[in-house]
Amino acid sequence: AAGIIDGFEDNSFREQLPIQRQHMAKMIAEALQLEASNPEAMPFTDVEELYAPYIAALYEYEITRGTTATTFDGRAEVTRGQMSSFLVRAINAQIPPELPVGTYTLTIDELTANTVVSNNQTYTLSAETKQILTMQNKEALLNAEITVELTGNVIGNVSHITLNNAGQEGEPVVFKTSASLEQLTINADFVKVEDVTVAGDVIVTAEAATELALNNVTIEGELIVEEQALETASVEPIANKVTTLKVTIENTEVGTIVVDRPRVQIVSESGVKLVKLTTNVTFVDVTGKVETFIVESIKPLEITGKATIETIEALKEAELTLAIEGLVETLNVSNASAKVTLQKKANVANLIVPKG
């Protein structure tokens, strides 16, 4: 026996009696093995305690809408029309087979307040994940890839998100949450990230070509601006295809920014501890305060902007042009083959060069 229908206390079934709405809720929830991840989200105020778990499950899976916004009317008899609606929604409910407990990567095809749809399967959000996968973030999260911990069909933890939806100039796509992630990848242009804490790295791919904004973000790892891959088959000169990515950092804690992009603009009112410029970098415009620049580039490199920089370390055979409007407290050229040009507006307090 499946145990879906219990009958009455006297062991009778009484098939001639009409079915109440709450009875139908129990039968459907039991038959489809539905459980509500957050029963408190159910808005109905007239539900009997015995039937609350079943009605909450049907509400979460959008099988019932209630008789009004706040009532279910569980003791009312199920009409033929209501029976049809219940059954059609139950049949159409996308309830996936349970997966083994573990870590999975899902692509968000659809998002509701309580569920994520991925590859035609519906997964229930736990109370914890509802702080991250919110309807407020729906525009940013559609098409996003998420790394999650699954228990049955319940998403219990989100560790990594890759944002794939782009905004447009003046109208960025916003991802905002006070929760924590292990890693965040920004794989789209015109994205703004707010309030999140990232225990690991924030990776900015080549798809973020024009603008990125971080506000009230804590990055415990590194902010990594990846290389911009360019197609060489075109007759157009590669130099004409290179874009300058503007990274605006406000009220944000980040220890290290690693730049592997040819051209980047960094605007930081809150200051940056360390900026590493790899061998691919040719132009950096910086506004704000930076404690240390480490220059590993061997290509001609120009550093411009309005900034205060405590130390610039030129480690390789750099051809460095310094056009900062502001103060560079120490410029340390540790490679004897490096060439440094100081523009008139550059103010270097202490210049260190190799002996001999």
Side-chain angles (χ1 to χ4, degrees):
I4 296 172
I5 300 176
D6 297 325
F8 290 88
E9 293 179 356
D10 62 359
N11 296 323
S12 64
F13 184 66
R14 304 182 192 176
E15 67 276 5
Q16 76 280 4
L17 294 180
I19 299 175
Q20 295 180 359
R21 286 170 56 83
Q22 58 193 11
H23 296 156
M24 177 56 66
K26 180 179 184 296
M27 287 189 285
I28 292 176
E30 291 280 12
L32 297 180
Q33 298 181 342
L34 303 181
E35 292 184 8
S37 63
N38 183 19
E40 291 77 16
M42 180 182 63
F44 308 133
T45 58
D46 63 341
V47 174
E48 296 180 28
E49 183 178 357
L50 177 63
Y51 297 96
Y54 312 114
I55 297 170
L58 264 60
Y59 174 76
E60 183 168 302
Y61 282 89
E62 301 180 352
I63 296 172
T64 183
R65 303 186 182 96
T67 53
T68 71
T70 58
T71 61
F72 181 74
D73 201 9
R75 288 185 173 272
E77 297 176 3
V78 179
T79 66
R80 291 168 60 89
Q82 290 170 347
M83 175 73 77
S84 298
S85 296
F86 270 124
L87 293 177
V88 168
R89 293 183 194 133
I91 291 170
N92 291 335
Q94 297 177 344
I95 304 163
E98 290 192 358
L99 296 171
V101 175
T103 302
Y104 297 85
T105 298
L106 308 176
T107 299
I108 299 179
D109 299 323
E110 186 54 71
L111 176 67
T112 72
N114 301 300
T115 62
V116 161
V117 178
S118 178
N119 194 27
N120 295 320
Q121 303 292 332
T122 301
Y123 302 91
T124 302
L125 302 179
S126 66
E128 177 185 359
T129 55
K130 286 180 180 180
Q131 300 178 38
I132 302 173
L133 306 181
T134 65
M135 294 301 292
Q136 180 185 21
N137 286 325
K138 184 173 182 177
E139 183 182 8
L141 289 171
L142 287 178
N143 303 316
E145 296 176 9
I146 56 175
T147 301
V148 301
E149 294 289 335
L150 285 181
T151 302
N153 297 318
V154 177
I155 298 176
N157 179 56
V158 179
S159 58
H160 180 198
I161 295 179
T162 298
L163 300 175
N164 294 318
N165 272 3
Q168 56 187 341
E169 187 173 3
E171 297 180 9
V173 167
V174 179
F175 176 70
K176 181 176 181 179
T177 176
S178 59
S180 297
L181 295 171
E182 293 179 18
Q183 185 172 314
L184 176 65
T185 299
I186 300 167
N187 189 46
D189 209 357
F190 298 108
V191 173
K192 185 175 185 180
V193 179
E194 296 186 305
D195 297 345
V196 67
T197 296
V198 182
D201 297 332
V202 174
I203 299 173
V204 183
T205 74
E207 293 298 319
T210 312
E211 286 189 22
L212 166 66
L214 305 175
N215 182 29
N216 197 34
V217 175
T218 299
I219 304 172
E220 297 177 3
E222 297 178 331
L223 174 61
I224 302 173
V225 183
E226 291 186 336
E227 182 179 2
Q228 184 179 22
L230 298 173
E231 297 181 4
T232 57
S234 172
V235 295
E236 183 181 355
I238 291 178
N240 294 340
K241 297 182 179 181
V242 177
T243 60
T244 301
L245 173 64
K246 180 180 180 181
V247 181
T248 303
I249 301 171
E250 297 180 282
N251 305 313
T252 290
E253 296 181 19
V254 53
T256 301
I257 301 177
V258 179
V259 180
D260 199 28
R261 188 75 59 89
R263 298 177 61 89
V264 68
Q265 179 183 6
I266 300 172
V267 180
S268 176
E269 296 181 357
S270 48
V272 178
K273 292 181 180 179
L274 176 63
V275 177
K276 292 182 180 180
L277 307 179
T278 71
T279 57
N280 290 315
V281 183
T282 60
F283 174 85
V284 175
D285 183 282
V286 58
T287 299
K289 183 177 180 180
V290 178
E291 292 185 13
T292 303
F293 261 106
I294 294 181
V295 179
E296 298 179 346
S297 179
I298 58 176
K299 299 178 181 179
L301 169 63
E302 181 181 8
I303 301 178
T304 70
K306 297 181 179 180
T308 299
I309 302 173
E310 292 185 14
T311 303
I312 297 179
E313 298 272 359
L315 303 180
K316 302 288 181 69
E317 299 175 6
E319 186 177 330
L320 176 62
T321 299
L322 196 60
I324 290 285
E325 290 186 38
L327 175 64
V328 177
E329 295 182 8
T330 300
L331 173 57
N332 185 4
V333 183
S334 57
N335 191 301
S337 299
K339 298 178 181 179
V340 179
T341 300
L342 301 179
Q343 299 287 357
K344 289 183 179 180
K345 53 190 173 183
N347 181 10
V348 177
N350 185 25
L351 176 62
I352 302 174
V353 296
K355 294 181 180 180

